[in-house]
Amino acid sequence: MPTSSLNIAKVAYERACEHDSEGRESAAVVEYEVALPLIDTLTEEDQRGLLLGLGSTYRCLGRYEESLALFNQAIGRFPDAKEYPAFRALTKFNLGDNKAAVEDLLILLLDTTVDANILKYERPLRFYSDKLDQTWTDPT
């Protein structure tokens, strides 16, 4: 990519971050959306920040479907990044998909915790993570 694309993307991303930190979400979205088509010109750290910032800002503005789509895209692009499932869970909650939100958070907890008392129950927690509303009856 030409250097000018890098500069445009970097400046737009930095402006978006400034607007976000000032609580000016609508202005931030405009800048994030300028940078998004040029995302490949940014460093990996900035790419991750751009996707997180835009997805989170969409959510803050009530643009939940766009937020969910962007977080899904981010997870596809950076599958080992743990920040996206956390923010995607917030969006899923906003969309009324509480079961999926809790599942995301539970798996994230199990993937990232070092707490021995939680890890002791990792197997059953993973088993139940996608069966949150299921009940079992005694076979007797």
Side-chain angles (χ1 to χ4, degrees):
M1 279 279 181
T3 303
S4 61
S5 293
L6 170 61
N7 291 339
I8 292 169
K10 182 70 173 171
V11 168
Y13 172 62
E14 288 175 354
R15 284 184 186 165
C17 291
E18 288 174 20
H19 293 314
D20 246 353
S21 69
E22 296 167 353
R24 299 176 44 214
E25 283 80 10
S26 295
V29 165
V30 171
E31 297 293 345
Y32 283 132
E33 289 178 342
V34 167
L36 188 60
L38 305 170
I39 192 169
D40 290 327
T41 66
L42 297 172
T43 66
E44 182 177 315
E45 180 181 351
D46 286 347
Q47 290 176 32
R48 287 174 66 156
L50 170 60
L51 293 170
L52 183 70
L54 181 55
S56 178
T57 303
Y58 280 155
R59 189 191 74 77
C60 288
L61 293 172
R63 294 167 63 175
Y64 304 130
E65 294 296 338
E66 291 167 284
S67 175
L68 183 62
L70 197 62
F71 286 134
N72 287 336
Q73 175 188 343
I75 289 168
R77 188 178 186 112
F78 299 106
D80 295 328
K82 301 302 183 196
E83 63 269 27
Y84 301 123
F87 280 86
R88 182 178 68 178
L90 297 174
T91 300
K92 286 180 176 181
F93 174 84
N94 292 128
L95 287 166
D97 195 353
N98 300 334
K99 181 179 173 186
V102 171
E103 180 181 346
D104 276 1
L105 291 175
L106 189 53
I107 295 300
L108 181 62
L109 171 68
L110 294 170
D111 286 348
T112 59
T113 190
V114 294
D115 186 284
N117 290 312
I118 292 174
L119 291 173
K120 182 167 54 172
Y121 300 102
E122 179 178 6
R123 186 171 170 256
L125 286 169
R126 283 193 189 277
F127 175 78
Y128 291 126
S129 69
D130 64 349
K131 299 166 188 66
L132 296 170
D133 56 1
Q134 187 173 337
T135 59
W136 286 262
T137 57
D138 190 344
T140 59

